[in-house]
Amino acid sequence: MSSDRAFFADWRSRPGGSRRSLDRARSLHRLIGLTGASVPVLTVVGSKGKGTAATYASAFLAATGARVVTVTSPGLRSNRERIRVDGAAISAAELEALGERISRGLQQLPGRDELPGHLAPAGLFTAAGVLHAKAAGADYLVLEAGMGGGSDEVSLFPPNVAAMTEIFAEHVGVLGDTVVEIAQEKARVISGTTAAVLSLPQQPAVQEAIQDFVSQRANLRVDVLDTRDGTLPSELLPPSYGRWNAELGCSAAARLLSLLGRELPDPGKLRQVLESVKLPGRLSRHFVPGSKTEIYMDSAISGAGVATALRMVRRNWDHIDHVLVCLPDHKDVEGAVLELAGYPVTFVRLSDPHFSFTRSLPENWAVVEEDKVTPAFLSGLGEHVLSLGTVFFSGRMLNVLNAPTERLFTA
């Protein structure tokens, strides 16, 4: 077993009804010699915008001249992109070595009769990223939580600073039965050693639940970012809602530096680094190779996200020829349907078995499998095509377009 296969092995062999197990993760960590993070940790949790916040936090820290390892999920075009050093994906050889170390640990794990449950791929990439941070001589580690918080392996590496993006009712019935329960689960990433918690404005009940938990767990007040007046020039940040996720990441990084008694980045250097940030798949624009077709791509997963993407597109295009949509059942399919009324739409279904596509769709929407989405297919949809859906789908689209994703910023 080698390369990225090791990261999916335990998950693929899980029995029916198996649940993600932090006890199993702890056991594996001991077997591979992972005793915790060796450097300060900044962790990002939330329902949407975590990747943007983690990228900008990493860029802010890297602007000080420090080495920063970032772990996000999923990758865009490659699983190497789940682990980055100063914005750049690790090499194939580095991922191979990490996979071999994970594989050796898996072979020594007790059987499921003794240690039930399974290891999520995202959690194994988190473990690999923490290992790589030590090997690479990192100064900081930025972790993006996967679906949860307390149930996610990032919770095994207590953060010095936690940043919380907007939390809404996603994964109901998995993380909790209400948005408040989901918020509480995500807040469980915070430990008694966490020194600061920053958050975007939340729904009142969600904000109250987060504050209650943080007060009990870490005796802290949650610092809520004031989105009425940003602290960084708008030209250095992504457009629309992405700006506040980026502001959150930068604010959390600044707080981490302050808590550690370290200097903030030089303003000129910070501008240079932030100007270099690229966020493929998040309101990004691309051309289909060999054609005049332009793709505007966004990882919108809700009606509100779709509405925002449409609004941003209209600032640059006078019309939209076609819209591609890929939303599994657990996303806001109904909201997307409402917002896209009147547009020609093709719905794309992914082949991954852990995604379900059973929701009712408008009769006038075309439906295709992902293998049908090729450059020739895209160029046949017109010159202005909007692509919307999960980060997984954006990654597939970026691959079809052969878009550069190896580096997110230059320090």
Side-chain angles (χ1 to χ4, degrees), residues 280-362:
R282 299 178 180 91
L283 289 172
S284 59
R285 299 172 71 178
H286 312 269
F287 278 97
V288 176
S291 81
K292 294 182 179 180
T293 297
E294 188 175 8
I295 304 287
Y296 210 122
M297 190 183 310
D298 191 50
S299 300
I301 57 172
S302 67
V306 171
T308 298
L310 289 169
R311 185 170 64 252
M312 298 303 297
V313 166
R314 294 189 193 105
R315 296 182 181 180
N316 297 284
W317 293 343
D318 58 6
H319 70 283
I320 298 172
D321 292 313
H322 209 89
V323 181
L324 288 180
V325 178
C326 179
L327 291 174
D329 290 346
H330 65 282
K331 303 300 183 182
D332 183 15
V333 179
E334 290 84 357
V337 169
L338 288 173
E339 295 296 337
L340 293 172
Y343 289 93
V345 176
T346 294
F347 190 87
V348 182
R349 295 187 300 206
L350 302 179
S351 60
D352 305 65
H354 57 288
F355 290 132
S356 297
F357 297 92
T358 63
R359 296 287 191 91
S360 297
L361 301 172

Side-chain angles (χ1 to χ4, degrees), residues 198-320:
L198 287 75
S199 174
L200 288 182
Q202 309 284 352
Q203 300 172 40
V206 169
Q207 195 71 58
E208 182 180 356
I210 293 171
Q211 181 57 70
D212 287 346
F213 182 88
V214 171
S215 296
Q216 295 172 17
R217 178 66 67 91
N219 193 29
L220 294 172
R221 290 293 304 173
V222 177
D223 292 330
V224 180
L225 192 71
D226 186 352
T227 55
R228 295 171 300 181
D229 183 26
T231 58
L232 293 169
S234 60
E235 67 269 17
L236 298 181
L237 302 171
S240 190
Y241 57 83
R243 170 176 181 172
W244 304 117
N245 293 314
E247 283 267 16
L248 176 66
C250 290
S251 296
R255 179 62 60 85
L256 178 61
L257 292 170
S258 175
L259 288 168
L260 296 172
R262 300 175 186 178
E263 292 186 1
L264 296 176
D266 171 79
K269 180 63 175 179
L270 179 61
R271 171 174 284 273
Q272 175 188 335
V273 174
L274 294 186
E275 284 178 339
S276 75
V277 174
K278 306 295 182 185
L279 295 172
R282 299 178 180 91
L283 289 172
S284 59
R285 299 172 71 178
H286 312 269
F287 278 97
V288 176
S291 81
K292 294 182 179 180
T293 297
E294 188 175 8
I295 304 287
Y296 210 122
M297 190 183 310
D298 191 50
S299 300
I301 57 172
S302 67
V306 171
T308 298
L310 289 169
R311 185 170 64 252
M312 298 303 297
V313 166
R314 294 189 193 105
R315 296 182 181 180
N316 297 284
W317 293 343
D318 58 6
H319 70 283
I320 298 172

Side-chain angles (χ1 to χ4, degrees), residues 356-379:
S356 297
F357 297 92
T358 63
R359 296 287 191 91
S360 297
L361 301 172
E363 292 183 357
N364 62 327
W365 283 21
V367 179
V368 301
E369 305 301 323
E370 65 170 303
D371 61 355
K372 300 297 183 182
V373 181
T374 64
F377 174 85
L378 294 172
S379 61

